[in-house]
Amino acid sequence: TAATTEIAGIVLLDSARIQEEDAAFKLQRHKREGRVGPYPEVPPYTVEDAEATLPMFSSVQYKEVLKLTDDVEAIFYDAGHIFGSAMIKVSFGRDEERRTVLFSGDVGRNDKPIIKDPTTFFSANYVLIESTYGDRTHDDTEDIPGKLTTLINETNNAGGNIVVPSFAIERAQELLYYMNGLLLENRIHHMMVFLDSPMAVQVTEVFRNHPDLFDKEMARLVKQGRSPFDFPGLVMATSVEQSKAINHIKGTSMIIAGSGMCTGGRIKHHLVTNISRPESTILFVGYQAPDTLGRIIIGGAKEVRILGQQHKVKARVDKIGGFSAHADKNELLDWITELIQAPRQVFVTHGEEETALKFGDSLRQKTGWNVAVPEYMDEVILE
């Protein structure tokens, strides 16, 4: 889709810059260590490579019929997962032999801020459904405003900052949505909110470019001049100088910065400034993978190494669940059982093996349908 094309360009260029920086850093380290190799460190791809791919993207509108051959066509539908994400229904064959295959992609969640709900379908001969969270359920998203209110007001009373490691795509924008709502309702102290992530700022601009993808509530806010991407006190920090200046602000503020798992980026500098302050809060709003700095902090470490220095963890460390954009077990079951007739076969994909097998069992028990959990390199003939 058009939104995905724009976001892909941002992500590819950012990734390429990181690849180049990592290669240059590694080469310098090897020189310092006196290593001699036949080849210099070469990044897997460069900014120039990434830029060369961008003209090759072509965009598809939701519900537009895309003719692949005389007998095969595809239609993209809103997946309600992240901005611009799609489910794809492929039709092939002719007349009475015509068949449909529905690819779920990442299934989103109903009633999420900003974006529309996932599209549901009434018929498909075959379905490939993801199973990322097929063995668990999420926290109630309705708790998010209440938990944010309590945490922010308590931190403000203590005189500290709220530091939020956040992913640049969807999570940062959703957090701005909730902050805008709390400020409009005067539920929290009016403060400065810094989005300190060049990628997140660029992605937020993509959101602005595609108001047709907003759900009714978001569209109403924009029409009323109350956009969550443009509220009083919001500062989009893009330059290094702006980022550094944040730490000189007096009083309580919220600092949203990448990376989401604290593995790099500007968040590390804000952690250095705040993690040893008992009055500040480090707030996690996303999954923290094992062995990442984020997982170590949220795991209760008393001291952590950041930017080569040890820092005592004295700040409040908290987490708010329910931000996940992925449908959980019950939501996946609800989505697929909108089908009026049983598909000939359902294939459970895109999940850890144990999770996919558990979700396959749950779907089989609930529906009695033919459900398979294919393995790598399995081949299937669709009759």
Side-chain angles (χ1 to χ4, degrees), residues 68-348:
L68 303 177
T69 72
D70 288 341
D71 296 336
V72 182
E73 63 184 34
I75 303 177
F76 285 43
Y77 297 91
D78 196 335
H81 172 58
I82 64 172
F83 210 63
S85 60
M87 300 169 174
I88 304 176
K89 194 171 188 178
V90 177
S91 303
F92 60 94
R94 295 185 179 183
D95 302 326
E96 69 273 4
E97 295 299 318
R98 194 156 185 80
R99 300 286 179 261
T100 56
V101 184
L102 174 59
F103 296 86
S104 77
D106 287 330
V107 180
R109 309 180 66 193
N110 290 330
D111 301 321
K112 291 290 283 181
I114 304 174
I115 60 178
K116 297 174 182 177
D117 291 349
T119 306
T120 53
F121 301 84
F122 299 118
S123 66
N125 298 118
Y126 302 94
V127 182
L128 279 78
I129 183 172
E130 61 116 329
S131 59
T132 309
Y133 287 93
D135 62 347
R136 72 201 88 164
T137 56
H138 296 310
D139 293 339
D140 189 349
T141 54
E142 292 182 0
D143 289 344
I144 292 175
K147 290 179 179 178
L148 267 176
T149 299
T150 300
L151 184 145
I152 290 169
N153 287 335
E154 289 176 356
T155 305
N156 176 62
N157 292 337
N161 295 314
I162 303 99
V163 179
V164 189
S166 178
F167 302 107
I169 303 173
E170 204 72 35
R171 195 60 46 86
Q173 293 76 28
E174 193 171 336
L175 193 54
L176 293 180
Y177 179 94
Y178 283 114
M179 287 299 294
N180 184 50
L182 295 178
L183 289 166
L184 285 172
E185 296 169 10
N186 290 313
R187 294 176 64 180
I188 59 174
H189 171 75
H190 283 243
M191 63 179 71
M192 297 191 76
V193 178
F194 297 94
L195 183 59
D196 189 19
S197 165
M199 184 194 284
V201 172
Q202 287 179 293
V203 171
T204 302
E205 195 60 34
V206 176
F207 277 62
R208 285 197 183 104
N209 293 343
H210 298 277
D212 54 303
L213 301 184
F214 294 157
D215 64 10
K216 291 180 180 178
E217 177 62 19
M218 178 67 176
R220 183 181 64 81
L221 286 172
V222 172
K223 188 175 181 180
Q224 293 175 346
R226 296 181 169 189
S227 170
F229 306 142
D230 197 25
F231 57 83
L234 175 61
V235 177
M236 303 281 191
T238 54
S239 70
V240 174
E241 291 73 22
Q242 285 176 308
S243 180
K244 289 179 178 178
I246 292 171
N247 292 320
H248 299 292
I249 301 293
K250 300 296 183 183
T252 297
S253 60
M254 174 177 279
I255 305 162
I256 306 166
S259 69
M261 298 186 192
C262 309
T263 53
R266 296 181 177 182
I267 190 65
K268 287 193 169 184
H269 297 277
H270 298 300
L271 287 174
V272 166
T273 303
N274 288 278
I275 201 162
S276 296
R277 297 181 63 199
E279 60 269 31
S280 288
T281 296
I282 314 301
L283 173 62
F284 291 93
V285 292
Y287 174 71
Q288 303 300 306
D291 301 322
T292 60
L293 177 58
R295 173 65 74 90
I296 293 168
I297 294 172
I298 207 166
K302 301 299 182 185
E303 190 172 288
V304 292
R305 184 179 178 84
I306 309 173
L307 299 176
Q309 300 291 323
Q310 292 296 125
H311 297 269
K312 293 187 180 299
V313 181
K314 296 182 179 179
R316 170 180 177 175
V317 177
D318 216 327
K319 178 182 179 181
I320 296 180
F323 274 95
S324 177
H326 274 281
D328 63 16
K329 171 187 171 181
N330 293 336
E331 291 162 337
L332 287 170
L333 290 172
D334 289 344
W335 177 80
I336 196 169
T337 52
E338 287 288 326
L339 294 170
I340 295 173
Q341 290 185 318
R344 293 184 173 206
Q345 184 78 48
V346 176
F347 301 97
V348 177

